[in-house]
Structures are given as structure tokens and as C-alpha cells.
Amino acid sequence: MNILIFGPQASGKGTQAHILAGKLGLFYLSTGDLFRKLSEKDSKVKRVVEKGELPSDELAFSLLKRFIKDEHGSYQNIIFDGFPRNVNQYLMLKRWFYKNKSKIDYAILLDISDEEAIRRLSARRVCSDCKEIFNLITNPSKNPKVCDKCGGELVQREDDKPEAIEKRLSLYRNVTKPLIDVFEKEGVLKKVNGEQPIEDISRELLSFFGKQ
Ligand code: AMP
């Protein structure tokens, strides 16, 4: 089974995708993580990502293909976080999977309002060492400046700063949201209220997949 998880920034995609990956035995793939890694050695990509803009579909897709081939070696049992970001990316993935006798089984939309997205993004902190994600409101660390997991320093991502947030949300509205209709027509859409507590969302999703 292959699952896509999508929704506005800070809707909790990464958190829920990790929970589902663990419980359903899926391979976790985040194109955001792949781009942040690439940014460490490519300053052009770094500038685009930090401004909250999207690098090209071709680059995103080639990073994704390489990661799947190198780290997973199969077209099955994958959960995608952050890909596709638009209809073109979805068609690229669909065609590639079709050629390899696979398909997307479910697309989960974690729905939250713009106001909630802004509130959460402004409060998001990430560990500069182990990359664990916290949120001052929904998932705080004991000390707001220190990572509970490894003791590293918690910092704000460049693209979680106000100007980049506005850019990312408008990209979501204009470019990613049209995917909802496409997924609905294909009968793979599962919509969940992303403003519930983390445990309630994962319980709802796991029960949908017949797990506890
Ligand atoms: P995320 O962690 O999913 O919010 O992604 C962080 C950033 O990585 C985005 O704002 C984009 O700059 C880049 N990115 C992630 N996924 C994609 C994608 N599928 N296509 C293009 N750019 C992406």
C-alpha cells in the first residue's frame, strides 16, 4: 500500500506520516527533508527553500526517485510527505508507478485553516543537531530552547519566518489545493480534521487502516 499525506504547512503531515510509517510498516519519504539535505551543499537550492519557494518539479522528482531506488528498492509500502506539491508532480509519480506496476492507494488530507497554520508555523522549533521537531504550542519540549531528545539547541527554520510563511501558504492555496479535486475523482481521498490533538488524528487514521 502506498499513501500520500498532504495539507497546509504545519498541518502535522510529518508527525502523522511517521506514526503511520511505524504502525503500518511503511517507508517514510519527505521531499522537504531531501531538499534540506541538498541545501547543505547547494547554495542555490538553499536560497529557494529558505524563501519558502518551490524548486523545480524535475529536481523534486529526481531526488525522490533516487531516494526510493537507493534506500528502499521497491515501489510498494511507501508514505510520501511533501510530494506531490502540484498536479504535475502527481502525474509524474503516477506514470512512474504505473510503469512499475504500482499505484497510489490513498491520499490523506490533513485540513487546517490558514490562521491555525500561521499560529503553528510561528511556534515550530527544530533541533539543530538531531532535527527533531517541536512546537511551542502543540508539542513543546521541557525547555523551549533545548531538545528533549538529544540536548541540542532548538531553532526556528528560515522558512518558518513570517515572509516565507505567507509565500508557502499562498503556494499551498494556488498550487497544491487543486490536488484535492484530482484525488476525489480518483477515489483515493481521505480527509481528516488536522486541528484535533495529535493522538486523536492518529487514532482516526489508524482505525481507517484497521489498526489501533
Ligand atoms: P516541507 O518540509 O515539506 O515543508 O518542505 C520544505 C521546502 O522544501 C518547501 O518549501 C520547498 O522549498 C521544498 N520542497 C519540499 N517538497 C517539495 C516538492 N515536492 N517540490 C518542490 N519543492 C519541494
Side-chain angles (χ1 to χ4, degrees):
M1 173 169 68
N2 293 308
I3 301 175
L4 310 175
I5 190 156
F6 74 112
Q9 281 68 28
S11 53
K13 299 186 293 285
T15 304
Q16 295 300 333
H18 274 112
I19 295 173
L20 288 179
K23 296 274 186 180
L24 304 177
L26 302 175
F27 176 75
Y28 172 80
L29 180 151
S30 153
T31 41
D33 285 351
L34 297 180
F35 274 116
R36 279 183 286 280
K37 193 138 187 248
L38 182 62
S39 297
E40 290 168 12
K41 43 185 189 190
D42 186 327
S43 58
K44 226 169 102 187
V45 169
K46 185 170 192 264
R47 275 196 299 278
V48 175
V49 171
E50 287 191 345
K51 276 196 274 178
E53 293 167 0
L54 297 180
S56 73
D57 293 349
E58 287 67 29
L59 179 57
F61 190 48
S62 75
L63 286 176
L64 170 146
K65 284 199 291 191
R66 193 173 335 131
F67 190 68
I68 290 178
K69 282 183 180 155
D70 293 352
E71 304 295 329
H72 186 49
S74 162
Y75 302 96
Q76 295 297 338
N77 299 323
I78 304 173
I79 184 157
F80 296 87
D81 167 8
F83 194 100
R85 274 298 213 273
N86 58 37
V87 175
N88 184 43
Q89 290 189 358
Y90 175 57
L91 295 177
M92 288 166 125
L93 180 63
K94 195 177 153 179
R95 272 195 293 268
W96 185 53
F97 265 29
Y98 182 76
K99 259 198 261 160
N100 290 290
K101 304 189 174 24
S102 188
K103 65 182 171 65
I104 302 303
D105 299 283
Y106 298 99
I108 298 168
L109 167 61
L110 285 181
D111 207 18
I112 62 169
S113 65
D114 276 11
E115 294 71 32
E116 180 65 7
I118 291 168
R119 199 174 74 95
R120 290 186 187 181
L121 283 168
S122 321
R124 181 153 71 181
R125 297 293 180 271
V126 54
C127 175
S128 49
D129 292 337
C130 74
K131 311 295 176 209
E132 184 79 4
I133 294 170
F134 296 90
N135 190 291
L136 300 176
I137 305 163
T138 54
N139 177 30
S141 57
K142 287 192 201 89
N143 177 332
K145 293 196 171 140
V146 181
C147 174
D148 279 350
K149 203 169 153 196
C150 76
E153 187 194 3
L154 295 183
V155 295
Q156 189 170 35
R157 262 166 53 173
E158 276 307 314
D159 61 352
D160 282 345
K161 295 185 177 165
E163 211 185 288
I165 290 179
E166 189 36 56
K167 209 171 277 168
R168 292 164 73 206
L169 285 175
S170 109
L171 271 173
Y172 175 75
R173 278 192 297 271
N174 298 322
V175 177
T176 308
K177 242 179 148 180
L179 279 167
I180 296 176
D181 284 348
V182 176
F183 293 146
E184 194 144 46
K185 273 194 203 110
E186 301 209 345
V188 295
L189 182 68
K190 161 84 183 146
K191 191 169 161 182
V192 180
N193 172 8
E195 296 195 11
Q196 308 172 78
I198 293 174
E199 302 72 38
D200 293 357
I201 299 174
S202 55
R203 207 174 303 121
E204 182 176 339
L205 287 173
L206 287 168
S207 85
F208 176 75
F209 291 111
K211 290 258 174 186
Q212 289 197 334

